[in-house]
Amino acid sequence: MEPGSRPPRPRGVFIAALLLLTLALAGAIALQAYRNFLGHKATAERVLHDYARLAAARFASRTEMNFYYENFLPAIDALMRAKPGAPDALLPAPSRLPGPTEPHSTDFRKLASYTFRYDLKTGKLETAGADPSPAVRSWLRDTLPSHHRTVYDPKERLSAIVHTVDGDSRSVIYTVVKDRAGTPRTIVGLEEDTRGLEPLYTADQDRVPLLPRPLTGGVGYDSLGSVIVAEADGRELYRSRVQYAPTFAARDSFEEPIMGGVRVQVALRPDLAPKLVIGGLPRSNVPMLLSLLALTAGLVVAALLQLRREYELSQLRADFVSGVSHELRTPLAQIRMFSETLLLGRVRSDGERVRSLEIVDQEARRLTHLVENLLHFSRSERQATRLSPESAPLAPLVREAVEAFAPLAAARGVTFRTELRDGLVAPVDAEALRQMLVNLLDNAVKYGPADQTITVGLEAADGKARIRVEDQGPGVPAADRERIWDRFWRLERDRGSAVAGTGIGLSVVRELVALHGGRAWAEEGRGGTGARFVLELPLVGQPQAAPGAAPMRADFGATA
């Protein structure tokens, strides 16, 4: 711990700990709220995926029924009525088959390209109508024997194969004809163009929608979701006109073996998802949580910074009280000692009596200067500083302030040199100007070496008056030339020194010069040594000195 520093106050540490605990609690609450949101979101998404699976199952079931009753069954019924299963019967072409008996059925004759008959014993394949390619014939010979044993349902008396052969998607519908002993003997069927079956995918969509109407609130099929039907190998058979992102999607396959391998994918419309979940989808609370957490963190940081500033301010005030006490103690001790000497008649000559009175006068002036600074500081704290500026020549005021301060510098053998340009008139409060100059002179004497020469100048520059005070001390580092004007602030090198100070002198100077509409700054002294403090004040009119006239110079000092 550095000398003069103080340990943190227990109360401040306790408050800081509470603030950090508040921030941690806010973070824990935000995290829990976010976890709850994720849980609610996951539950809602599971419900929507369940709805998508239900929609896919309903679409598959509805389409399968449409295919069976409106196309497959009428086609097989027509084949059975034509009786092509007999060994010597003629195999009719699709156009020669009898038409459907139900008015709502599709006209399979326009969709079929050829009919076929396959003898299970001899392996003979016959076709009528369009002539299938050798690849298709080979595929029928290889597929029908095994397919009718594993997939064909005798109760339904029909089966279908949907598969891509020779580059095209093919839909083959067939039935098995048995002999008198009940043994499967012949397979008869036909092939249809799968593109002609597309109307069956949307048939009865109003009667059997993707989802029950109580769940959808009456939303129509076209805007509820999108559908893709594909073979087992992924080749698409049907795609709805509108497609939605598969955010909430599910797949299903046809339940009955007659359409085995055909898969359905249904994707629910994402922007309708809130209508399908009771209470709607939970909205993300991340932005709000992050905003609240950031606000809490900002308030906690601001409170911690305020605590730190309060602690630093209390430390500065303690240093200020200590400095003021020291500043008061020294002149009071001097006044008391020499006044007692005079009262008790201990002086041995008239010279000693005069010297004692001069010291009492010097210390009384020092006390007056210190009290004036304290009074101005108090008025500044209450924002009650008032000035009464009047146009006045600056050179006499500066010279008077230097002469009045000279006795205070006598103890250190300081000499003052003035370089004052006459004729400069500015609106100033004479008492405030004197206080500014005394503060600068006191600062130069206090931090400069003994027996130095302090130069006080007055000239005009850029239409303004500039008063400068230059010492021969160590100067002010460039990095600190702005901070020295802050209240209670002192250079690091001076904090542990024996030089006493209140830390408010330069702040008083800057405030007073600002009230005059001017400014103050510090810079390097001439020749690169010492420090130069400059006061800039607005002028009234133009300087009255003759052109080329140099400032009047004078050297004087107080005798020790």
Side-chain angles (χ1 to χ4, degrees):
M1 185 178 294
E2 297 181 359
S5 63
R6 298 166 185 167
R9 294 176 298 175
R11 177 175 172 271
V13 174
F14 177 70
I15 295 177
L18 286 180
L19 290 173
L20 294 176
L21 182 61
T22 301
L23 179 60
L25 182 60
I29 294 175
L31 180 61
Q32 185 61 37
Y34 180 65
R35 287 179 176 175
N36 291 339
F37 160 73
L38 291 180
H40 295 161
K41 180 181 178 183
T43 301
E45 289 178 349
R46 283 196 298 269
V47 171
L48 291 172
H49 281 101
D50 289 342
Y51 284 169
R53 284 190 286 270
L54 175 60
R58 287 170 64 90
F59 180 86
S61 176
R62 185 190 72 198
T63 304
E64 188 175 34
M65 296 297 290
N66 291 337
F67 274 43
Y68 180 82
Y69 286 108
E70 297 183 22
N71 182 269
F72 294 168
L73 189 58
I76 295 300
D77 181 64
L79 280 171
M80 295 301 293
R81 282 188 283 136
K83 299 181 179 181
D88 298 329
L90 180 65
L91 180 65
S95 59
R96 294 184 177 274
L97 291 174
T101 58
E102 298 293 337
H104 61 275
S105 300
T106 61
D107 192 351
F108 57 86
R109 295 174 301 179
K110 296 180 180 180
L111 302 179
S113 56
Y114 63 88
T115 57
F116 65 87
R117 179 168 55 200
Y118 178 76
D119 193 321
L120 292 172
K121 291 183 178 181
T122 63
K124 181 181 179 181
L125 177 65
E126 300 176 75
T127 61
D131 188 18
S133 66
V136 174
R137 288 178 175 274
S138 177
W139 171 71
L140 288 173
R141 292 191 185 98
D142 294 338
T143 305
L144 290 174
S146 60
H147 193 273
H148 94 276
R149 290 194 299 269
T150 57
V151 180
Y152 180 78
D153 188 353
K155 295 181 180 180
E156 300 290 345
R157 296 189 306 165
L158 65 89
S159 187
I161 307 173
V162 180
H163 193 68
T164 300
V165 182
D166 201 16
D168 291 326
S169 179
R170 303 180 184 276
S171 173
V172 175
I173 309 165
Y174 71 89
T175 186
V176 177
V177 180
K178 299 179 181 180
D179 58 17
R180 294 179 178 179
T183 302
R185 182 187 65 196
T186 306
I187 297 178
V188 292
L190 53 84
E191 178 186 330
E192 293 181 332
D193 186 357
T194 56
R195 291 172 295 182
L197 299 175
E198 287 189 1
L200 297 178
Y201 292 108
T202 57
D204 292 335
Q205 62 184 10
D206 292 331
R207 185 170 59 87
V208 185
L210 289 180
L211 291 175
R213 297 191 184 279
L215 293 180
T216 63
V219 177
Y221 166 80
D222 289 339
S223 60
L224 179 61
S226 59
V227 178
I228 297 176
V229 180
E231 299 177 13
D233 60 358
R235 185 183 181 91
E236 287 189 7
L237 298 174
Y238 169 76
R239 171 184 287 261
S240 59
R241 291 178 302 171
V242 180
Q243 289 292 314
Y244 301 113
T247 306
F248 307 108
R251 294 182 178 181
D252 201 347
S253 59
F254 289 174
E255 296 179 1
E256 299 296 332
I258 62 172
M259 289 286 283
V262 177
R263 297 186 178 276
V264 176
Q265 175 180 298
V266 174
L268 298 180
R269 182 175 172 181
D271 58 346
L272 287 179
K275 297 182 179 180
L276 301 177
V277 179
I278 297 177
L281 285 175
R283 295 184 179 180
S284 175
N285 56 2
V286 173
M288 181 189 68
L289 292 177
L290 291 179
S291 300
L292 291 178
L293 192 59
L295 179 61
T296 303
L299 293 176
V300 169
V301 170
L304 291 175
L305 291 177
Q306 187 62 29
L307 281 176
R308 180 182 176 183
R309 287 174 58 88
E310 184 179 331
Y311 172 70
E312 292 177 348
L313 183 60
S314 65
Q315 188 172 5
L316 289 174
R317 286 179 176 175
D319 294 338
F320 170 72
V321 172
S322 176
V324 169
S325 300
H326 182 75
E327 288 278 336
L328 290 173
R329 185 183 300 112
T330 301
L332 286 175
Q334 292 283 348
I335 292 173
R336 182 175 180 181
M337 180 181 68
F338 284 98
S339 62
E340 287 180 352
T341 300
L342 293 171
L343 288 174
L344 296 177
R346 294 177 180 174
V347 293
R348 292 170 292 182
S349 64
D350 291 340
E352 287 186 359
R353 180 180 294 102
V354 172
R355 175 60 180 163
S356 298
L357 291 174
E358 289 177 349
I359 292 176
V360 171
D361 179 67
Q362 292 174 8
E363 298 304 325
R365 289 171 183 263
R366 193 184 305 277
L367 281 177
T368 301
H369 166 59
L370 178 61
V371 170
E372 286 177 349
N373 274 342
L374 293 176
L375 289 176
H376 176 79
F377 177 74
S378 176
R379 288 193 296 267
S380 176
E381 286 283 292
R382 292 180 286 108
Q383 298 182 351
T385 304
R386 297 291 184 273
L387 298 181
S388 299
E390 294 181 359
S391 297
L394 294 178
L397 295 177
V398 174
R399 187 179 296 107
E400 179 183 349
V402 174
E403 292 175 353
F405 188 80
L408 296 178
R412 303 201 67 190
V414 175
T415 301
F416 291 97
R417 174 184 297 172
T418 58
E419 300 173 353
L420 307 179
R421 182 173 180 176
D422 288 330
L424 300 181
V425 179
V428 295
D429 185 302
E431 188 62 27
L433 178 63
R434 184 194 64 79
Q435 187 174 359
M436 287 189 285
L437 289 172
V438 169
N439 282 358
L440 293 180
L441 294 174
D442 181 67
N443 195 72
V445 172
K446 187 181 298 182
Y447 295 104
D451 302 324
Q452 67 171 321
T453 298
I454 297 176
T455 302
V456 180
L458 171 63
E459 62 266 353
D462 300 328
K464 296 183 179 181
R466 287 184 180 176
I467 303 172
R468 52 183 167 83
V469 176
E470 300 181 51
D471 60 38
Q472 297 175 338
V476 180
D480 297 324
R481 287 174 186 168
E482 186 62 28
R483 296 197 62 186
I484 58 175
W485 303 96
D486 295 340
R487 295 177 179 180
F488 309 125
W489 198 88
R490 300 180 69 189
L491 291 173
E492 189 67 30
R493 68 172 184 236
D494 300 328
R495 293 177 185 175
S497 66
V499 179
T502 61
I504 62 173
L506 292 181
S507 66
V508 170
V509 172
R510 171 160 282 190
E511 183 172 350
L512 289 176
V513 76
L515 291 175
H516 281 85
R519 61 192 184 103
W521 69 88
E523 57 189 22
E524 191 177 55
R526 68 180 67 183
T529 60
R532 176 187 297 158
F533 292 84
V534 182
L535 303 179
E536 187 177 77
L537 298 171
L539 288 172
V540 174
Q542 297 297 324
Q544 300 299 319
M552 298 181 60
R553 292 179 172 83
D555 294 341
F556 60 91
T559 57

